[in-house]
Amino acid sequence: MPPVSRLFDFIVIGGGSGGLACARRAASYGAKVALIEGSGRLGGTCVNVGCVPKKVMFNGASIMEAIEDAKHYGISVGSRSFDWGALKTARDAYVKRLNGIYETNVAKDNVEYVDGMASFVSSTEVKVNDAVLKANHILIATGGHPVIPKVEGAEHGIDSDGFFELEKQPKRVAVVGSGYIGIEIAGIFKALGSDVTVFTRTPHILRHHDSIIGETMMGEMERMGIRFEHNSSVRGITKHDGAEFPLELRWAISGSDSQLSERYDCVLWAVGRAPNTAPLNLAAVPGIQLNKTGHIVADEYQNTHVPGVYSLGDVFGKSELTPVAIAAGRRLADRLFGGPQFADSKLDYVNIPTVIFGHPTAGTAGLTEEQAREAHGSENIKVYKTRFTNMYNALTPYKPPTAMKLVVAGPEEKVVGLHIIGRGCDEILQGFGVAIKMGATKRDFDNCVAIHPTSAEEIVTMR
């Protein structure tokens, strides 16, 4: 029996943040939309194994830190015990509620949710289960997945998805990787009571961020008791069944032939992510191009090289952030179905603010100092910096730093980069992101009256 053929105006492959936003916006204009998702739950990485459950764990870790600080404010707290399983159960229930909310909203917006894996038949057709869906417009928004390194015994470790599957808290953790995912998870583990070692291939962490963030973050994580193995190259894992710490991680230090090893009960790989393209049968769409990292090439309007086929979000690979995928998806739907007033609708990928939920939190918008000097010339760049202790720690014996850097360009001192790290920086950045997007100058910042006493006031009083 041949597959059933069904016709739509728009097919969206991937029920993550970008796909959901694009599908719902398109349907709001009256388009007949099919949303295909093969995992069995809507929300994608962010809702299920990313931003949302990560922030729940971050909140739990932050509460543990606040309990420790309480005694310095004269507050007695009876117990610091922590139940990993209880937090996981509550967190998973919250995520499941969100999955249900997404399904309800999709139905309410007249988007047809198709549960199954999609594969292309042609540039206008995809096969799902026993049906072939047809549309003149097809969006690929299939997201990405964690990369597992090709070393011996790698299967004994877990990735960031596996972090959310842990039923009990490990005692001794190795985090391999020092990008924002590894740094966030390392901070959560440590604040909740695990012993943590971070393995990084270089002397630095958070290498794609401004140095003020990486250097300050590493210093504070070391103060917390997190150990770093710099310039390390992991060689493999040997599992010793029945041991308290069954995972023997082996590594070498750059420039040395000797191999080191240590035992852990959890090894977490945080060495990068790759796009989800394998099940799509892209060979059926001649002209689709992948770049050297396997992401689907598209232009600033999310058009691939094949007319009517689009790509955005993590599978597109530019600014792989949930709000970016949502914004790009909505603008694409506006352009395709919103009428002539949206003919040029597209996302501007410049000056996108982003936050690291580390311990401490950090935020960045615009160019790093190094990028700014390369783009504008060192002679045209001026940098304003400040370091201080947040007033929250006025009564605590330890004084974690807050550090801020403002990068400005040209005689008008246009703000081209803002990099902040310390308590509350995750909430501070959004408003300043608006100002930078509007083209604010240092003088504009200076002309804003400070709010006292806050950390944010330092951004408008730097000299």
Side-chain angles (χ1 to χ4, degrees), residues 129-413:
N129 305 322
D130 59 352
V132 171
L133 311 186
K134 298 183 178 182
N136 289 328
H137 300 285
I138 301 178
L139 169 64
I140 304 171
T142 47
H145 61 272
V147 171
I148 303 296
K150 295 179 180 179
V151 298
E152 181 186 356
E155 69 276 9
H156 300 309
I158 63 172
D159 55 27
S160 57
D161 291 1
F163 170 73
F164 298 108
E165 296 175 4
L166 288 172
E167 296 291 341
K168 63 179 183 178
Q169 181 178 8
K171 295 178 181 178
R172 187 181 296 169
V173 181
V175 175
V176 182
S178 58
Y180 81 93
I181 293 174
I183 293 305
E184 288 180 337
I185 292 177
I188 290 168
F189 269 132
K190 181 60 181 177
L192 293 176
S194 298
D195 182 73
V196 180
T197 302
V198 174
F199 291 80
T200 174
R201 292 178 300 159
T202 72
H204 311 289
I205 66 172
L206 301 171
R207 289 182 296 117
H208 298 297
H209 293 75
D210 193 272
S211 59
I212 198 171
I213 290 180
E215 291 167 4
T216 306
M217 182 75 77
M218 186 162 65
E220 182 57 14
M221 291 176 74
E222 288 176 328
R223 185 199 68 78
M224 290 172 62
I226 293 175
R227 183 176 131 212
F228 286 88
E229 286 290 346
H230 297 292
N231 302 308
S232 58
S233 175
V234 170
R235 299 297 172 83
I237 301 174
T238 301
K239 188 174 183 181
H240 302 274
D241 291 325
E244 181 181 8
F245 301 106
L247 304 181
E248 182 182 358
L249 184 69
R250 306 187 308 279
W251 73 95
I253 300 299
S254 178
S256 171
D257 294 329
S258 60
Q259 190 164 278
L260 306 171
S261 69
E262 195 162 326
R263 298 278 197 94
Y264 302 90
D265 54 340
C266 178
V267 175
L268 187 140
W269 305 116
V271 295
R273 292 179 64 82
N276 291 330
T277 57
L280 293 174
N281 189 32
L282 293 177
V285 191
I288 284 280
Q289 295 184 16
L290 305 181
N291 63 19
K292 62 182 180 180
T293 56
H295 294 90
I296 298 176
V297 176
D299 65 14
E300 59 187 334
Y301 290 93
Q302 315 303 151
N303 301 310
T304 70
H305 287 80
V306 177
V309 180
Y310 315 94
S311 167
L312 61 78
D314 288 4
V315 77
F316 169 53
K318 188 172 183 179
S319 295
E320 296 179 33
L321 301 165
T322 294
V324 172
I326 291 171
R330 287 174 177 162
R331 284 161 177 76
L332 175 61
D334 288 341
R335 182 168 67 84
L336 296 180
F337 302 104
Q341 68 268 38
F342 294 112
D344 295 320
S345 180
K346 63 178 180 176
L347 178 63
D348 179 6
Y349 284 85
V350 177
N351 290 333
I352 292 172
T354 184
V355 160
I356 303 166
F357 288 99
H359 292 263
T361 56
T364 182
L367 302 176
T368 66
E369 179 182 345
E370 183 180 0
Q371 290 169 339
R373 293 188 185 281
E374 184 176 339
H376 298 278
S378 289
E379 69 279 8
N380 298 312
I381 294 297
K382 186 172 182 180
V383 174
Y384 296 86
K385 293 189 288 188
T386 183
R387 297 179 75 90
F388 58 95
T389 299
N390 189 292
M391 192 173 172
Y392 175 94
N393 294 107
L395 306 184
T396 63
Y398 49 89
K399 308 296 180 186
T402 296
M404 298 176 171
K405 178 187 285 190
L406 201 60
V407 183
V408 302
E412 73 280 16
E413 294 198 334

